[in-house]
């Protein structure tokens, strides 16, 4: 008997030790743990005014170290000779203590025109520092550029300072700054249609001045129906909160108007901007003394116009009108009006891939500016009118690379020259110097830590590397690189790129359950492209004994062209399902340690909607699903989502003659009778993005179908549930229901599940 007790004790001790090791591995690879050790993932550049220098700091165990870069040569040097002497001299000169950890240089003046001498301010004290000899002296702050601020002209005062627009409740009043007289000019404002807005208890007019003309974009939302939530964690009784939320097919949606006021003539009016019923209107940032511009989009989202307001007369002229069925690309669409309104750069998918086109001020096409089959042009960074050149983000233009990696291109407005300034294999982020001559480029991938380089945009062939994080350093901090994978979509032709996370203790001779993390888009696919640590806690999940994969499906991203982006149009519920299932099956053929009898799926928001629908559509394939904050019933979700990505039809009301917009989206609620596996639903009870009513409706449908499931509500939480408790909840559920199995054919290589026996 004694030997049995000792054996049991040893077994429990060994189990506890193994369990602890898994816990330790989960903590070790977590984003918080790795980032605490891995410094300087991000560099925040500062540019010297009118000089070819950039400076930044890196964190070290002894404190921040500040560097300056000669942008012409790419040479990097330290800004401070000796930090102990620097802080000591500062205290002796000013009487103020300056902790070593606070010596971060954010705003510098280089009065000699070189980085040899700089002026900095700490605690309101300005010092002059000579890097050549390490000498410090005090400087009169009034004689430096550091504390001088250009006083911005108030947007509520006319350009000539003659008039000021002031709030009069929900209306406007005009103040003559010469006479001091205040005269009310609008009388129809109310809480639902207001010319003013409130912020921090102050009521201000909404618009702005261009010369002596005042313009305001007004948005009427008074008829929009309310959505309600219960705030349970108040100090006394729970509180009901309501907010405006249009849902697909609503008759009451936001209505737009543009108010125009001529201060000289004392005349105001609503401009004639209406063309489409329930249109959306956005004012352009470009404005000059003669003109102002805006776009308008119809409710279906398949027609977009560019219009010009003649500020002298208030007349509205349509310059461009483009059809972009089934809907325009809301993520990438961009345009610029420049050259004092004489030229327009316009983004269009007319070739199937987003490109920029040049128009004149009458809306006549001059030429296509950007080039490249398969290149999708994204955001414009700038237009250099002197060099007649633009810089933009592009996707898919560098062959052999992930089609969604961002690269940056320079193109001449004559359409004859275009070049990529950072073609290196990876996802690129840039910050451009104010003079548009240089750029700090960050290149990284999920399997490659960041490399920072300086690019001379006039001669971009040889970027100068200034900082990188070696992979060995990242791994020593606990980072585990995911595997970059490529599979085919269910059509057998389209390449889909994704990630696979493996446990650090992987034994290829054993069998592992597979979990797929999903998000269907279409506005974005949540796919990390640049370097991230333990993204979405997927590596932490893998450490508990799983293979975790993320493979976006067709229709998931707006970055791969019109056909790919619109794959799911009209089929918002089902379009991503087959691709995900096919991807897992393909991976199992390549990696024999993947167990197709134990497949899990999870996601958040649209990913939760995807996960639940997959579990109910393929009940014999997916065994366990975790779904958080899901928009399971898109018919009560935000209007633009359902109407843009599923589609809206127009029906004429025979009585009023007005168009009625109809949108009916299939939901997983119609599939609940198929449930076989384990399902955990989670939601925050104060989620204004995807109100919990969507989760409650799915729960109700499951109950009525006599299907058993699990559900967890986070009190006081909104849409973003991410927290250690949230991720641990996901891990626990998969360990309990997917990792643990009574089947003898499975070799359960992890005993992490013993931690959760109390949940049985």
């Amino acid at each position: 008997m004694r030997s049995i007790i000792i054996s049991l004790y040893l077994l429990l001790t060994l189990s506890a030790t193994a369990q602890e090791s898994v816990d330790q591995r989960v903590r070790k690879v977590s984003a918080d743990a790795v980032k605490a050790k891995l410094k300087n993932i991000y560099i925040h550049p500062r540019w010297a005014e009118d000089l070819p220098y950039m400076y930044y700091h890196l964190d070290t165990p002894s404190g921040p170290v500040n560097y300056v870069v000669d942008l012409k040569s790419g040479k990097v040097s330290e800004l401070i000779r000796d930090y102990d002497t620097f802080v000591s001299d500062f205290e002796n000169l000013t009487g103020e203590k300056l902790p070593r950890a606070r010596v971060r240089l954010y705003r510098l003046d280089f009065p000699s025109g070189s980085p040899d001498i700089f002026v900095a301010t700490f605690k309101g004290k300005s010092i002059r520092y000579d890097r050549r000899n390490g000498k410090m002296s005090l400087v009169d702050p009034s004689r430096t550029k550091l504390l001088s601020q250009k006083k911005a002209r108030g947007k509520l005062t006319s350009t000539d300072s003659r008039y000021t627009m002031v709030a009069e409740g929900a209306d406007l009043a005009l103040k003559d700054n010469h006479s001091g007289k205040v005269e009310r000019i609008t009388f129809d404002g109310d809480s639902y249609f207001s010319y003013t807005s409130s912020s921090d208890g102050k009521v201000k007019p909404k618009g702005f001045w261009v010369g002596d003309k005042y313009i305001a974009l007004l948005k009427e939302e008074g008829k929009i129906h309310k959505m309600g939530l219960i705030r349970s964690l108040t100090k006394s009784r729970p509180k009901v909160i309501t907010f405006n939320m249009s849902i697909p097919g609503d008759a009451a949606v936001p209505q737009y108007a543009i108010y125009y006021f001529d201060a000289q003539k004392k005349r105001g009016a609503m401009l004639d901007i209406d063309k489409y019923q329930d249109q959306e209107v956005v004012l352009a940032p470009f404005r000059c003394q003669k003109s102002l511009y805006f776009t308008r989009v119809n409710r279906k989202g398949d027609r977009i116009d560019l219009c010009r307001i003649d500020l002298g007369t208030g007349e509205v002229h349509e310059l461009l009108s483009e059809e972009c069925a089934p809907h325009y690309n809301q993520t990438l669409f961009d345009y610029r009006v420049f050259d004092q309104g004489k030229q327009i750069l316009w983004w269009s998918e007319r070739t199937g891939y987003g490109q920029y086109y040049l128009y004149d001020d009458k809306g006549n096409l001059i030429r296509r500016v950007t080039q490249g089959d398969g290149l999708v042009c994204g955001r414009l960074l700038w237009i250099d009118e002197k060099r007649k050149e633009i810089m933009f983000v592009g996707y898919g233009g560098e062959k052999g690379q992930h089609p969604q990696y961002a690269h940056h291109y320079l193109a001449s407005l004559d359409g004859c020259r275009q070049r990529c300034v950072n073609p290196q294999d990876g996802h690129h982020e840039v910050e451009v110097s104010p003079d548009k001559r240089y750029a700090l480029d960050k290149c990284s991938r999920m399997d490659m830590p960041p490399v920072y380089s300086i690019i001379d945009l006039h001669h971009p062939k040889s970027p100068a590397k200034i900082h990188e994080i070696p992979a060995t350093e990242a791994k020593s901090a606990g980072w585990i690189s995911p595997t970059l994978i490529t599979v085919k979509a269910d059509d057998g032709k389209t390449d889909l790129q994704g990630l696979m996370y493996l446990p650090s203790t992987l034994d290829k001779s054993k069998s592992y359950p597979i979990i797929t993390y999903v998000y269907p888009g279409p506005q974005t696919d949540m796919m990390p492209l640049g370097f991230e640590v333990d993204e979405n806690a997927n590596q932490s999940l893998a450490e508990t004994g799983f293979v975790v994969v993320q493979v976006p499906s067709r229709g998931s991203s707006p970055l791969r062209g019109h056909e790919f982006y619109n794959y799911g149009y009209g089929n918002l519920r089902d379009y991503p399902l087959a691709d995900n299932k096919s991807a897992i099956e393909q991976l199992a053929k390549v990696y024999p340690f993947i167990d197709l009898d134990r497949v899990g799926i999870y996601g958040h928001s649209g990913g939760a909607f995807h996960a639940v629908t997959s579990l109910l559509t393929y009940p014999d394939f997916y065994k366990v699903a975790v779904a958080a904050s899901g928009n399971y019933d898109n018919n009560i979700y935000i209007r633009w989502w359902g109407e843009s990505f599923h589609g809206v039809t127009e029906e004429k009301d025979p009585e009023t003659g007005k168009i009625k917009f109809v949108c009916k989206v299939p939901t997983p609620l119609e599939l609940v009778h198929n449930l076989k596996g384990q399902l955990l639903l989670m939601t925050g009870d104060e989620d204004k993005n995807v109100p919990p009513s969507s989760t409650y409706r799915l729960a109700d449908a499951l109950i009525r179908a006599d299907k058993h499931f699990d559900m967890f509500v986070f009190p006081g939480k909104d849409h973003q549930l991410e927290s250690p408790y949230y991720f641990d909840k996901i891990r626990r559920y998969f360990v309990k229901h997917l990792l643990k199995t009574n089947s003898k054919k499975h070799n359960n290589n992890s005993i992490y599940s013993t931690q959760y026996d109390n949940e049985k």
Side-chain angles (χ1 to χ4, degrees):
M1 183 68 178
R2 177 182 174 86
S3 62
I4 295 175
I5 293 174
I6 292 174
S7 298
L8 287 172
Y9 175 79
L10 290 173
L11 179 63
L12 290 172
T13 302
L14 289 172
S15 297
T17 303
Q19 172 186 322
E20 182 182 8
S21 67
V22 177
D23 288 340
Q24 288 175 341
R25 290 203 303 271
V26 169
R27 288 195 294 269
K28 179 182 177 181
V29 303
S30 71
D32 289 343
V34 175
K35 288 181 179 179
K37 298 178 181 178
L38 188 61
K39 304 293 185 180
N40 307 315
I41 299 176
Y42 311 104
I43 286 182
H44 304 288
R46 304 276 171 165
W47 308 93
E49 185 177 351
D50 300 325
L51 295 171
Y53 304 110
M54 184 198 86
Y55 54 99
Y56 62 97
H57 72 265
L58 298 178
D59 290 320
T60 71
S62 59
V65 176
N66 298 271
Y67 297 91
V68 63
V69 183
D70 184 324
L71 297 173
K72 290 183 177 180
S73 66
K75 182 181 178 181
V76 181
S77 57
E78 289 192 32
L79 273 167
I80 297 174
R81 290 169 62 97
D82 180 270
Y83 284 86
D84 291 336
T85 303
F86 188 91
V87 298
S88 175
D89 288 350
F90 182 84
E91 183 177 353
N92 291 335
L93 285 170
T94 67
E96 299 276 356
K97 286 187 177 294
L98 179 63
R100 168 70 179 85
R102 297 288 300 276
V103 187
R104 291 183 173 90
L105 303 178
Y106 292 113
R107 296 187 62 214
L108 297 183
D109 179 24
F110 298 99
S112 66
S114 81
D116 290 339
I117 299 172
F118 67 80
V119 176
T121 296
F122 298 94
K123 298 187 175 183
K125 308 289 186 180
S126 293
I127 56 98
R128 179 183 183 273
Y129 184 80
D130 191 326
R131 297 174 61 221
R132 296 167 297 187
N133 54 29
K135 299 296 183 181
M136 181 188 297
S137 58
L138 280 176
V139 178
D140 181 355
S142 65
R143 302 187 65 180
T144 74
K145 296 180 181 179
L146 297 176
L147 299 182
S148 62
Q149 298 284 344
K150 292 182 180 179
K151 190 173 181 180
R153 187 183 301 278
K155 68 176 182 179
L156 302 180
T157 301
S158 60
T159 306
D160 61 3
S161 301
R162 171 70 186 273
Y163 302 101
T164 298
M165 196 64 72
V166 296
E168 186 80 23
D171 281 300
L172 298 174
L174 184 71
K175 179 183 179 181
D176 187 319
N177 295 326
H178 289 183
S179 66
K181 181 181 179 181
V182 178
E183 181 180 0
R184 186 170 174 176
I185 59 173
T186 68
F187 299 88
D188 56 339
D190 57 37
S191 58
Y192 298 114
F193 185 76
S194 179
Y195 294 84
T196 63
S197 61
S198 178
S199 177
D200 299 326
K202 297 179 180 179
V203 180
K204 297 180 179 179
K206 286 182 177 178
F208 54 88
W209 289 91
V210 182
D212 58 2
K213 310 297 189 301
Y214 182 81
I215 304 291
L217 176 65
L218 308 177
K219 189 176 180 182
E220 195 276 312
E221 299 181 283
K223 297 179 181 179
I224 296 176
H225 295 296
K226 302 288 185 180
M227 188 70 74
L229 298 172
I230 297 176
R231 181 166 291 164
S232 301
L233 301 184
T234 49
K235 290 185 178 180
S236 56
R237 66 187 65 192
K239 181 180 179 181
V240 176
I241 56 176
T242 61
F243 54 96
N244 291 339
M245 185 170 174
S246 296
I247 63 176
D250 263 0
V253 299
Q255 302 295 317
Y256 295 84
I258 296 180
Y259 177 72
Y260 167 91
F261 183 78
D262 186 323
Q264 294 296 331
K265 298 179 180 178
K266 301 295 191 296
R267 179 174 60 87
M270 294 296 179
L271 299 184
D272 182 14
I273 65 171
D274 292 339
K275 179 179 178 182
Y276 309 111
Q277 183 178 320
D278 298 340
Q279 64 188 12
E280 181 178 0
V281 176
V282 178
L283 284 174
F286 173 83
R287 56 195 64 145
C288 63
Q289 295 298 312
K290 294 181 178 180
S291 304
L292 184 66
Y293 298 79
F294 67 89
T295 54
R296 62 185 173 203
V297 181
N298 66 344
R299 181 160 174 174
K300 292 177 68 176
D302 62 357
R303 175 69 68 173
I304 184 168
D305 305 333
L306 176 65
C307 301
R308 179 176 61 216
I309 301 171
D310 185 325
L311 291 175
T313 64
E315 294 180 349
V316 175
H317 305 278
E318 182 179 286
L319 298 178
L320 296 172
S321 183
E322 182 164 16
E323 183 178 359
C324 36
H327 59 84
Y328 82 109
N329 192 318
Q330 301 175 38
T331 304
L332 295 185
F333 173 77
D334 201 359
Y335 75 98
R336 292 288 191 281
V337 180
F338 65 104
D339 191 17
Q340 292 300 305
K342 296 176 183 177
Q343 298 186 80
I344 302 163
L345 201 61
W346 183 260
W347 188 94
S348 171
E349 277 186 319
R350 64 193 64 171
T351 66
Y353 296 90
Q355 298 287 329
Y356 283 101
Y357 299 82
L358 187 65
Y359 286 81
D360 66 18
D361 58 354
K362 295 180 175 58
N364 298 312
L365 176 64
I366 299 174
R367 68 178 67 91
R368 173 175 161 177
V369 172
T370 54
Q371 311 296 327
D373 295 333
L375 171 66
V376 176
C377 299
R379 180 174 59 93
L380 273 170
L381 274 71
W382 46 255
I383 298 177
D384 189 328
E385 296 186 33
K386 290 184 178 179
R387 293 177 61 86
K388 300 186 183 305
E389 191 173 56
I390 67 171
M391 186 174 185
F392 64 93
V393 185
Y395 308 90
E398 304 308 300
K399 302 303 180 185
Q401 298 190 34
H402 194 304
Q404 292 171 228
Y405 283 163
H407 295 271
H408 298 80
Y409 296 81
L410 295 172
S412 60
L413 288 170
D414 61 13
C416 295
R417 300 180 307 280
Q418 180 173 298
R419 63 187 186 277
C420 180
V421 301
N422 47 13
Q424 298 80 13
D425 187 8
H427 180 68
H428 293 260
E429 303 169 59
V430 302
E431 290 196 45
V432 180
S433 62
D435 63 2
K436 304 181 179 65
R437 173 68 191 267
Y438 301 96
L440 175 66
D441 175 68
K442 174 187 175 185
C443 176
S444 69
R445 300 189 303 264
M446 280 297 287
D447 66 342
M448 184 185 80
V451 176
Y452 287 90
S453 303
I454 296 296
I455 301 174
D456 183 335
L457 296 178
H458 290 182
H459 307 285
K461 291 184 179 180
S462 301
K465 185 190 300 182
I466 64 168
H467 175 67
E468 68 176 317
I469 298 176
T472 53
E473 180 182 333
K475 289 177 181 177
S476 66
W479 170 66
I480 298 176
S481 171
T483 302
L484 275 58
I485 56 177
T486 299
V487 298
K488 294 294 183 183
D490 191 54
D491 63 1
K493 298 181 296 184
T494 307
D495 283 339
L496 302 175
Q497 290 77 15
L499 298 169
M500 181 168 65
Y501 302 82
L502 300 173
S504 60
T505 56
L506 179 74
D507 182 343
K508 293 182 179 180
S509 68
K510 295 181 179 180
S511 178
Y512 292 79
I514 184 170
I515 299 171
T516 175
Y517 168 61
V518 293
Y519 189 86
Q523 85 288 1
T524 182
D525 61 15
M526 296 295 184
M527 183 71 187
L529 300 169
F531 182 77
E532 295 289 346
V533 176
D534 194 25
E535 171 67 11
N536 199 60
N538 281 335
Q539 186 62 49
S540 296
L541 179 58
E543 285 301 301
T544 63
F546 300 102
V547 174
V548 181
V549 296
Q550 181 180 0
V551 184
S553 62
R554 286 170 293 171
S556 61
S557 173
L559 307 181
R560 292 188 60 175
H562 185 270
E563 182 179 354
F564 187 94
Y565 180 38
N566 290 288
Y567 172 74
Y569 186 79
N571 187 25
L572 188 57
R573 184 186 69 185
D574 302 322
Y575 75 90
L577 308 184
D579 282 353
N580 187 259
K581 179 174 178 290
S582 176
I584 295 170
E585 292 169 334
Q586 292 174 61
L587 290 170
K589 292 179 181 179
V590 178
Y591 303 98
F593 52 79
I594 292 176
D595 185 354
L596 281 182
D597 288 331
R598 292 184 291 168
V599 180
I601 185 170
Y602 86 106
H604 173 264
S605 192
F609 165 71
H610 182 175
V612 167
T613 308
S614 294
L615 184 72
L616 300 177
T617 301
Y618 303 112
D620 295 318
F621 185 77
Y622 298 97
K623 303 302 193 302
V624 183
V626 176
S629 308
N631 48 309
Y632 311 108
D633 188 350
N634 280 306
N635 297 291
I636 59 167
Y637 187 42
I638 49 179
R639 178 178 62 87
W640 72 267
W641 179 276
E643 292 189 358
S644 295
F645 300 130
H646 187 75
V648 59
T649 58
E650 298 179 357
E651 298 179 4
K652 192 170 185 178
D653 189 317
E655 295 183 4
T656 64
K658 292 189 68 175
I659 297 296
K660 179 181 179 182
F661 295 93
V662 179
C663 179
K664 182 64 177 176
V665 187
T667 77
L669 277 67
E670 292 94 58
L671 306 175
V672 291
H673 59 278
N674 292 333
L675 180 63
K676 290 184 180 180
Q678 300 293 325
L679 171 62
L680 170 62
L681 301 177
M682 295 191 285
T683 185
D685 66 351
E686 293 188 26
D687 189 345
K688 289 184 177 181
N689 184 328
V690 183
S693 52
S694 194
T695 299
Y696 300 156
R697 290 191 181 200
L698 175 58
D700 177 64
L702 289 163
I703 292 168
R704 286 187 284 107
D706 196 26
K707 297 294 182 179
H708 291 270
F709 63 99
D710 296 293
M711 186 168 168
F712 188 88
V713 177
F714 285 83
K717 293 296 184 181
D718 57 15
H719 195 57
Q720 299 304 321
L721 300 179
E722 291 189 1
S723 66
Y725 192 92
Y726 167 74
F727 288 121
D728 188 58
K729 195 75 177 173
I730 294 171
R731 288 192 292 268
R732 285 172 177 264
Y733 201 78
F734 280 123
V735 165
K736 180 177 180 180
H737 294 291
L738 194 64
L739 186 64
K740 297 175 69 174
T741 175
N742 294 322
S743 174
K744 294 182 180 180
K745 65 180 265 189
H746 296 309
N747 185 349
N748 291 331
N749 58 293
S750 172
I751 62 172
Y752 184 48
S753 54
T754 58
Q755 180 178 348
Y756 305 115
D757 283 351
N758 63 344
E759 290 191 3
K760 283 187 177 180

